[in-house]
Amino acid sequence: MIISTSSLRRSVHRLAVAAAGAVSLGALYLVRPSSSALMFPEALHPVAVPVIDAIDITAILAVTVVLSVVSMMRKLPYGIGAVLVLSLGANLTGAAVRAWASDTAPALLPSGHIVAFAALCGSALLVAAPRFRPVISGLGFAGLLGVAGASAMVEPISVFGIAASLVIAAIWWALASTLMLYSPVAAEREERRPDTAAIAFSRHNGNIRF
């Protein structure tokens, strides 16, 4: 397989993002800034519990299997590996950080629910067809806000804790997406860019003969 300069450049950028995220995460737990947990009305608690309960190990495994099947159907050789790298890596890192920084204020620790949901959304973006990615991005962002809000209602978490959760998912997304750059089919698709309306119009006009 020939590795293009463009793929190498994108790989370096994504690995730099992963490295920056790891440094930021380490700095957060070395500095340990004081931050109070987010507060929401107690009346919203019953609404948040079902959201949190829905994100359990069974649901995570089920979605991971579905995304792996999508990878096989789309003939993305490295797709399954990327999904597993992102899902397992993010969730295990979140658990490791909570164990390593157990003496830190609970509000600073990453939320396993936010990490898991963000990792699944990132996995879906890696293996989904390009035409579905805007929809996944929009729904994923809205869902992530909902999960973050629900997490804050049922467990002590601060803005820093939410940020740590997202950074963990971002680190592993950068690594998994780097892997996808070297998947033969995915790399070829990455090189192709869909025409914008302006480009398509220009091409159409260029083919007109007077």
Side-chain angles (χ1 to χ4, degrees):
M1 179 179 64
I2 299 176
I3 300 175
S4 68
T5 303
S6 177
S7 293
L8 286 174
R9 185 168 57 250
R10 284 194 291 270
S11 297
V12 171
H13 290 166
R14 294 178 191 193
L15 292 175
V17 168
V23 171
S24 300
L25 199 63
L28 173 64
Y29 292 108
L30 287 175
V31 176
R32 300 185 181 185
S34 59
S35 180
S36 57
L38 297 172
M39 302 297 294
F40 289 91
E42 188 67 26
L44 295 176
H45 183 83
V47 178
V49 172
V51 175
I52 295 303
D53 289 344
I55 307 174
D56 57 11
I57 185 64
T58 302
I60 294 170
L61 290 175
V63 176
T64 301
V65 169
V66 169
L67 293 175
S68 298
V69 171
V70 170
S71 298
M72 290 187 290
M73 292 176 62
R74 297 196 63 229
K75 299 179 181 180
L76 296 173
Y78 295 4
I80 296 176
V83 169
L84 293 177
V85 164
L86 177 49
S87 184
L88 292 178
N91 285 289
L92 290 177
T93 300
V97 169
R98 289 192 296 275
W100 171 65
S102 58
D103 58 338
T104 303
L108 284 179
L109 297 176
S111 165
H113 298 96
I114 298 176
V115 171
F117 188 84
L120 291 176
C121 290
S123 297
L125 287 173
L126 289 178
V127 301
R131 65 180 179 275
F132 295 127
R133 288 175 188 166
V135 175
I136 294 172
S137 298
L139 293 176
F141 179 74
L144 196 56
L145 289 178
V147 172
S151 297
M153 294 177 201
V154 300
E155 60 187 15
I157 189 168
S158 65
V159 172
F160 288 110
I162 294 174
S165 306
L166 297 178
V167 167
I168 289 172
I171 290 170
W172 285 99
W173 184 88
L175 296 175
S177 64
T178 300
L179 174 63
M180 286 297 287
L181 286 176
Y182 297 95
S183 174
V185 178
E188 182 182 348
R189 290 172 181 168
E190 186 84 8
E191 292 294 335
R192 297 198 297 264
R193 290 289 183 268
D195 287 348
T196 62
I199 295 174
F201 181 74
S202 298
R203 180 180 294 112
H204 174 72
N205 285 347
N207 291 332
I208 296 175
R209 296 289 185 270
F210 294 97

